[in-house]
Amino acid sequence: MSIVLSLILIGCTPTSTGSFTESELFTIGQMQRTSPLLDESNQWDGNEEAIAFGQKLFFSHSLSPNAIACSTCHTPNIGFADGLQQSFGADVTNRHSPTLFDVAHQTWFRWDGGCDSLWCQAIGPLEASNEMNGSRTFVVSALYGDASLKEDYERIFGPLPDIAGVDLSAKPTSESSPENNLWMALEESQQEDITATMVNVTKSIAAFEATIQSGPTPFDDFVDTFMDDTILEEDALAMLTPEEEIGLRLFVGEGRCHLCHNGPTLSNDSFHNIGLGTREWLADTDIGRYDGITMLQTSEFNSSGFWSDAPNGLRSQRVDRLVQSTEQLGQYKTPTLRNLFQTAPYMHGGHFDTLDEVLEHYSKLEESTLQGHSDETLKPLNWTSKEKEAVIAFLRLLDDSL
């Protein structure tokens, strides 16, 4: 959760009576489920063959020399997350693994927005030393070593590049390193062929990940009924318990949670500093969105770059319009609220184990942010236990497994 609960409540527990305001009605209507758009920067998004191939790759342990798969940190029965405060691949990572539910709706990826497409995001873990600890060269070798993957790849994309004699650790790095030296020793054409193979692999993985959608929930049934002009508001509200209705009213009303948690995924897909303090397991040098913008704009894999299938498309225009400022220090992306009960712990660093702890944070706002400053609209809510319980009851309506 983020800026979400930003005004001081006026002291009394809300009742479940009275009509919603025009603004609240609009907010509820915007939460209706919709289908995501295809990613124009990935020509394989929506392609059935690429999706099936990407699913194999997602669960394959052969793409990593440490036998780490995408599914290691995005496990289906743990909400496509991993249940850890900090994800662990080849080594411990800096942040909590976010869920993949409804990622096709997103504009920015990673907690800091360092990628603007799913296929760009998938590249980082493949080569990160604390995640899959591999290289693009190793990925090509892995395809050669798995007959099923090789057959699928070459059927869709054509022959694999020749990597005979190439050291499998060769990859470009930002600083001088043995891996980078090995990479720079390759012919430019060979570098391009190897990188093209990795991009095809990650675009296939992205095509599969785009199909990971949360299922219909009791809240979706309520919204569909509530927005039906032929059904009375009180009849639609009868679908909720009194506690759930109070939670909804707090969410779209006095609490103003919807300012950051809105739309079909209940996320504004933006970035906020919510005043989180130190945790013994987290580094205090992580500055979030500020670094994410640098990462995105300098990446050869952003949507305006050479490897994009729509370098002049809508996503590329968003990259060009980004402006970096100190206001972005300590900001992280607003997560979806769908299937929250499957994806604990919460926040980018696994700061809280339970939703009750999350709401207590917004109720008191007693922590001091490590980087930058907290969003100015954040004020202590001073919510009672009953009010917090009501909001949690509402949030349960967003879970497709309950």
Side-chain angles (χ1 to χ4, degrees):
M1 303 181 77
S2 32
I3 240 180
V4 298
L5 311 170
S6 53
L7 289 182
I8 301 175
L9 293 182
I10 57 177
C12 58
T13 300
T15 67
S16 59
T17 60
S19 297
F20 288 89
T21 66
E22 187 174 334
S23 175
E24 291 168 347
L25 289 172
F26 176 80
T27 296
I28 295 172
Q30 291 297 299
M31 294 176 183
Q32 281 187 298
R33 289 173 64 86
T34 60
S35 298
L37 299 176
L38 293 177
D39 176 7
E40 60 184 351
S41 74
N42 179 4
Q43 64 178 307
W44 303 101
D45 192 14
N47 180 284
E48 292 300 327
E49 279 194 302
I51 290 169
F53 180 50
Q55 184 172 11
K56 284 186 181 181
L57 293 166
F58 184 87
F59 290 100
S60 173
H61 292 265
S62 65
L63 302 183
S64 160
N66 294 74
I68 306 298
C70 301
S71 58
T72 300
C73 293
H74 298 285
T75 307
N77 63 358
I78 317 179
F80 284 95
D82 60 12
L84 302 175
Q85 291 171 330
Q86 293 171 280
S87 294
F88 195 94
D91 201 351
V92 66
T93 68
N94 297 328
R95 297 172 184 160
H96 169 61
S97 178
T99 178
L100 295 183
F101 280 125
D102 303 317
V103 285
H105 286 273
Q106 296 177 16
T107 303
W108 314 109
F109 301 86
R110 296 172 45 95
W111 283 104
D112 55 19
C115 277
D116 63 345
S117 70
L118 270 172
W119 61 270
C120 166
Q121 187 281 325
I123 288 171
L126 284 170
E127 298 196 310
S129 60
N130 59 354
E131 295 188 59
M132 297 175 77
N133 193 33
S135 69
R136 57 198 68 185
T137 315
F138 186 89
V139 167
V140 177
S141 173
L143 295 177
Y144 271 114
D146 186 310
S148 175
L149 293 180
K150 181 177 184 293
E151 179 183 357
D152 286 349
Y153 181 93
E154 294 189 330
R155 184 179 66 254
I156 300 169
F157 302 107
L160 288 167
D162 182 8
I163 57 168
V166 177
D167 191 298
L168 299 186
S169 66
K171 63 182 177 182
T173 58
S174 58
E175 299 177 355
S176 178
S177 66
E179 295 85 359
N180 192 68
N181 293 338
L182 289 166
W183 178 257
M184 297 307 296
L186 300 177
E187 295 291 334
E188 186 174 342
S189 60
Q190 193 167 29
Q191 292 177 355
E192 185 170 322
D193 289 344
I194 291 170
T195 302
T197 303
M198 180 181 67
V199 170
N200 289 336
V201 162
T202 61
K203 285 184 177 179
S204 299
I205 292 172
F208 165 66
E209 290 178 339
T211 68
I212 301 173
Q213 301 289 313
S214 61
T217 68
F219 181 69
D220 296 315
D221 294 337
F222 163 74
V223 173
D224 290 342
T225 303
F226 190 77
M227 301 309 296
D228 187 335
D229 291 337
T230 66
I231 298 176
L232 295 175
E233 181 175 308
E234 54 265 34
D235 291 336
L237 287 171
M239 299 174 66
L240 306 181
T241 67
E243 184 180 45
E244 291 166 348
E245 182 182 341
I246 290 171
L248 171 62
R249 289 179 181 275
L250 284 168
F251 191 92
V252 301
E254 294 171 329
R256 302 207 306 177
C257 314
H258 66 281
L259 293 183
C260 292
H261 293 286
N262 51 52
T265 67
L266 284 89
S267 167
N268 64 358
D269 202 22
S270 190
F271 302 83
H272 302 283
N273 186 329
I274 61 169
L276 294 171
T278 59
R279 296 296 188 276
E280 62 180 15
W281 59 88
L282 293 177
D284 59 8
T285 54
D286 188 348
I287 57 177
R289 180 59 167 160
Y290 187 89
D291 271 353
I293 289 178
T294 299
M295 177 184 294
L296 175 61
Q297 292 183 327
T298 59
S299 172
E300 64 177 317
F301 303 112
N302 67 37
S303 292
S304 62
F306 175 80
W307 299 105
S308 171
D309 295 319
N312 298 310
L314 179 60
R315 286 180 182 264
S316 68
Q317 294 171 30
R318 293 191 184 109
V319 176
D320 294 338
R321 290 196 297 265
L322 284 175
V323 177
Q324 190 181 54
S325 77
T326 55
E327 287 297 306
Q328 293 146 347
L329 290 169
Q331 291 186 349
Y332 297 90
K333 191 170 70 173
T334 306
T336 178
L337 296 187
R338 288 186 176 272
N339 289 339
L340 276 178
F341 293 85
Q342 303 176 41
T343 57
Y346 304 105
M347 310 303 184
H348 70 275
H351 292 67
F352 302 115
D353 291 329
T354 67
L355 289 175
D356 189 67
E357 292 175 7
V358 172
L359 293 180
E360 185 70 3
H361 168 73
Y362 290 110
S363 187
K364 294 183 177 179
L365 293 177
E366 293 178 334
E367 298 189 35
S368 298
T369 186
L370 293 175
Q371 306 286 349
H373 64 82
S374 302
D375 285 9
E376 293 179 357
T377 51
L378 278 174
K379 305 293 181 184
L381 288 167
N382 298 314
W383 270 1
T384 66
S385 60
K386 290 294 185 184
E387 288 166 330
K388 288 184 288 185
E389 288 169 5
V391 173
I392 290 175
F394 161 68
L395 293 175
R396 285 187 181 277
L397 297 174
L398 301 169
D399 200 298
D400 64 16
S401 67
L402 298 178

